[in-house]
Amino acid sequence: MRCARDLRFLAGGEARRRVLRALVLEADVPAEEILYVGDWLDNDIRPAQTLGIRTAVLRRGPWGHILRGETAFRILGEDHEARCLFRPDSRAELPSRVKEDNAAGVHV
């Protein structure tokens, strides 16, 4: 699995999806072998999941804690966080979580 860096500088919606499509083509691996890490369910996670890219959401800032579960479903129409591979509270957790996932060979 390869890790995509948080593409924070991108606009949400279709612009984000276009860049993520280009990322999949450039990586030359299936979308489900890419892990996209973001901290916005609507602008980061949802577009990646739409393309079949595996996701991890960092729970930080107010929306990282407000936009969860039933609230996320009510606002976004789906609980995108529940579909994430993992949900760390800090970037420091990412290396060990990715290493565990790689060792397990887990694919969504």
Side-chain angles (χ1 to χ4, degrees), residues 67-80:
L67 201 56
R68 297 168 75 175
E70 190 176 307
T71 303
F73 186 82
R74 192 171 58 252
I75 294 171
L76 302 175
E78 183 177 344
D79 184 0
H80 293 277

Side-chain angles (χ1 to χ4, degrees), residues 55-108:
T55 55
V57 63
L58 286 171
R59 292 179 177 161
R60 49 186 204 169
W63 287 111
H65 298 279
I66 295 170
L67 201 56
R68 297 168 75 175
E70 190 176 307
T71 303
F73 186 82
R74 192 171 58 252
I75 294 171
L76 302 175
E78 183 177 344
D79 184 0
H80 293 277
E81 183 183 63
R83 293 179 48 204
C84 289
L85 187 60
F86 40 85
R87 301 151 204 86
D89 291 316
S90 76
R91 289 182 184 184
E93 296 176 50
L94 287 174
S96 63
R97 300 299 294 271
V98 170
K99 184 177 179 178
E100 290 170 11
D101 180 61
N102 286 342
V106 176
H107 296 286
V108 173

